[in-house]
Amino acid sequence: MTSTNSVSISARHASRLGTLSVIPWTSDPSGSERNAPFLLAYSLGDGKDGAEAGEETMRTVLAEIGLIPGGDLVDVSKTPNVSITLLVEAGRAVLTMPYLNAQCPVPPEWERDARDHGQVYFIVATRPWAEATPGRPVTEERLRAFAGDEAMLTSAAHCLVPVRSLRG
């Protein structure tokens, strides 16, 4: 199980997007091997104009920062116009991008895998996930169902974000 985490977003889009959250996971949560680390950002769909308006706003936000929902995988290290940074330090992942800042606790195996890979696969869902409320545990089955849903994946933005640390 992993917990969801709240995200701060600029006032410009916050009321339409509603509650945003970020959740970390690895391809094998047992931590027995080196695994790909993932971060998923999503809305609960509880914005002032409803889930559909939130989905439309998320698409707008992504386009404004240079990510195309449903488009190709973007390697942020090779795409200077996409301003996303990820600091991984002391059991926390700090994600910074235009309009969106998130800080979430990560398990030691996730942090190790992120450092070993040197990057994290970041997915920004345009489709809301109302059941994954911030601060509440999400079972592996629920995460797998949402993160593996073809409609969610094909409508999301996907990017590889380099891992930075305070140690350099």
Side-chain angles (χ1 to χ4, degrees):
M1 258 194 253
T2 187
S3 288
T4 60
N5 301 279
S6 264
V7 176
S8 64
I9 186 151
S10 72
R12 179 174 172 204
H13 296 292
S15 66
R16 292 199 73 203
L17 281 172
T19 306
L20 291 178
S21 196
V22 173
I23 190 168
W25 83 94
T26 59
S27 54
D28 178 9
S30 71
S32 60
E33 297 180 22
R34 184 177 143 171
N35 297 288
F38 294 86
L39 278 176
L40 170 67
Y42 60 92
S43 168
L44 294 182
D46 59 353
K48 73 173 186 151
D49 296 325
E52 284 184 28
E55 191 169 335
E56 178 185 317
T57 302
M58 183 64 87
R59 288 179 182 284
T60 300
V61 166
L62 290 171
E64 287 176 7
I65 63 172
L67 295 175
I68 307 302
D72 293 333
L73 176 65
V74 173
D75 185 340
V76 172
S77 69
K78 298 175 181 169
T79 315
N81 63 322
V82 177
S83 179
I84 301 174
T85 60
L86 177 64
L87 175 68
V88 177
E89 192 74 40
R92 300 201 73 71
V94 180
L95 182 71
T96 304
M97 54 195 282
Y99 305 114
L100 177 76
N101 295 302
Q103 186 175 140
C104 64
V106 294
E109 61 274 7
W110 189 96
E111 185 172 352
R112 181 198 67 226
D113 292 339
R115 287 190 196 291
D116 287 351
H117 277 76
Q119 62 188 7
V120 168
Y121 195 112
F122 180 44
I123 302 168
V124 184
T126 58
R127 293 184 55 211
W129 189 17
E131 299 79 33
T133 307
R136 290 200 175 141
V138 173
T139 65
E140 190 176 324
E141 294 78 26
R142 286 177 57 209
L143 176 60
R144 189 178 297 122
F146 185 77
D149 180 74
E150 186 175 344
M152 187 286 291
L153 288 170
T154 58
S155 65
H158 300 259
C159 58
L160 296 173
V161 182
V163 172
R164 296 184 176 154
S165 73
L166 295 175
R167 295 175 236 170

